[in-house]
Structures are given as structure tokens and as C-alpha cells.
Amino acid sequence: MSGGAAAPGGTASGRGAAAEALALLERRGQTLAVAESLTGGLVAAELTAVDGASRSFRGSVTAYATELKHRLLGVDAALLAERGAVDPEVARQMARGVRRALGADWGVATTGVAGPTPQDGQPVGTVHVAVAGPSGRMAGAAHRFEGDRAGIRAHSVRAAVKLLLSELIATAGAQDTEQYGGI
């Protein structure tokens, strides 16, 4: 788990992580959808604050209530009953589910506990983010952020966008590698 204050996303060109991710998606002709729980729409807001986001961003589902994670995103009901919503596999299933539900190439998901009290036996600051990509590609990250509710949510947004950008760079094609120095 990572913790503490995460630095705002920045990459080789100096633009923010959201702008970089959207630029890569647009260059590839790919699309993105977001499933959010604890961030309550903040990841979508971060992405849509970027000029031209509509060229790649399809939309989002804010599934704050646990049963909506199952009903709208297809998260396994038995998993939710057994482990609760604050779980790495729940985040992965949310990312796959929003990708499928909104017809996107990539899906990003956030789930966790922003506080002020623990949830599902997990302490405040526990956050799971996941990215589902084309051809079944999947990545996830677990975090333990400190701070107040607003701070935890802000860290979660940065973590989700950073993971997306990392996955996009990891799958870079020839046209992308020039910009990122031969990654």
C-alpha cells in the first residue's frame, strides 16, 4: 500500500496526468469510462475538465450504494456480501463492468473509505483503484491515504488517473513511444 501525499500527476511533456491520458486515448482512437464509489464523480470531473475530453471520454457511473455496484456494473453479489465494497477484486470488477456497460475500450474504478468512520471492516483511507483495458488487460493498486475526507478523495482521484496513465504508457505503440522517450 502507498500512503501519504501523492504528488499531482505530471509527465514528460509537463501536462497533467488526465490531459496526458486523454491525449493518448485520442491518438489511439480509444475510449474511456469510469466507475466511482468513494470519489463520487470526482474522477469524471478531473477528466472532463480537460479541453476536448469528449473525444475519448464516454461517461461514468457513480455507484455509491453497494447494491448498485452489482446491479449497474455486474460486480459479483456473493463477493460483495462476503468482503464488502472495499476490496481490490470489487474495484477490478467495477472497472470491467463500466467498460462493458458504457462500451469503452478502457475502464477505471475507485472504491474505498473516505471517512469519517470505517466501512466493511476497513479503516478510513483504504482505497482500491483499478483499470481494465482492451484484450482483458487489468491493473490495480491498493492505497492507504491519510488526511480528512476531502484529502482522501483527492488522493484517490490522482491515484486512479495515474494508474490509467501508467497502463496507457505500458501499452504504448510506436506512435506513443517517441513522446515518452522509448518506453
Side-chain angles (χ1 to χ4, degrees), residues 65-77:
T66 299
E67 74 270 7
L68 293 180
K69 291 171 182 62
H70 169 68
R71 193 164 21 130
L72 299 177
L73 300 170
V75 176
D76 182 67

Side-chain angles (χ1 to χ4, degrees), residues 4-6 114 145-158:
F145 295 123
E146 295 182 13
D148 63 8
R149 182 175 175 80
I152 291 167
R153 293 173 78 209
H155 288 308
S156 301
V157 169
R158 286 191 292 273

Side-chain angles (χ1 to χ4, degrees), residues 11 15-25 46-47 50-51 161 165 180:
T11 61
R15 294 189 304 177
E20 290 289 344
L22 289 166
L24 281 170
L25 287 165
E46 178 83 3
L47 292 162
V50 176
D51 289 342
V161 174
L165 181 57
Y180 293 100

Side-chain angles (χ1 to χ4, degrees), residues 13-55:
S13 70
R15 294 189 304 177
E20 290 289 344
L22 289 166
L24 281 170
L25 287 165
E26 183 179 357
R27 189 173 310 125
R28 295 175 185 184
Q30 293 180 327
T31 57
L32 170 66
V34 176
E36 300 187 62
S37 186
L38 86 148
T39 50
L42 294 174
V43 175
E46 178 83 3
L47 292 162
T48 59
V50 176
D51 289 342
S54 62
R55 292 189 288 269

Side-chain angles (χ1 to χ4, degrees), residues 68-151:
L68 293 180
K69 291 171 182 62
H70 169 68
R71 193 164 21 130
L72 299 177
L73 300 170
V75 176
D76 182 67
L79 172 68
L80 290 166
E82 180 184 325
R83 297 189 203 164
V86 183
D87 181 80
E89 180 59 26
V90 170
R92 288 190 289 272
Q93 289 188 23
M94 288 173 65
R96 279 193 296 267
V98 78
R99 184 176 171 262
R100 183 177 49 250
L102 300 186
D105 297 299
W106 292 85
V108 174
T110 64
T111 188
V113 186
T117 59
Q119 179 185 334
D120 298 331
Q122 299 297 320
V124 171
T126 302
V127 174
H128 299 283
V129 296
V131 172
S135 305
R137 185 172 178 91
M138 178 64 61
H143 301 275
R144 182 74 47 81
F145 295 123
E146 295 182 13
D148 63 8
R149 182 175 175 80

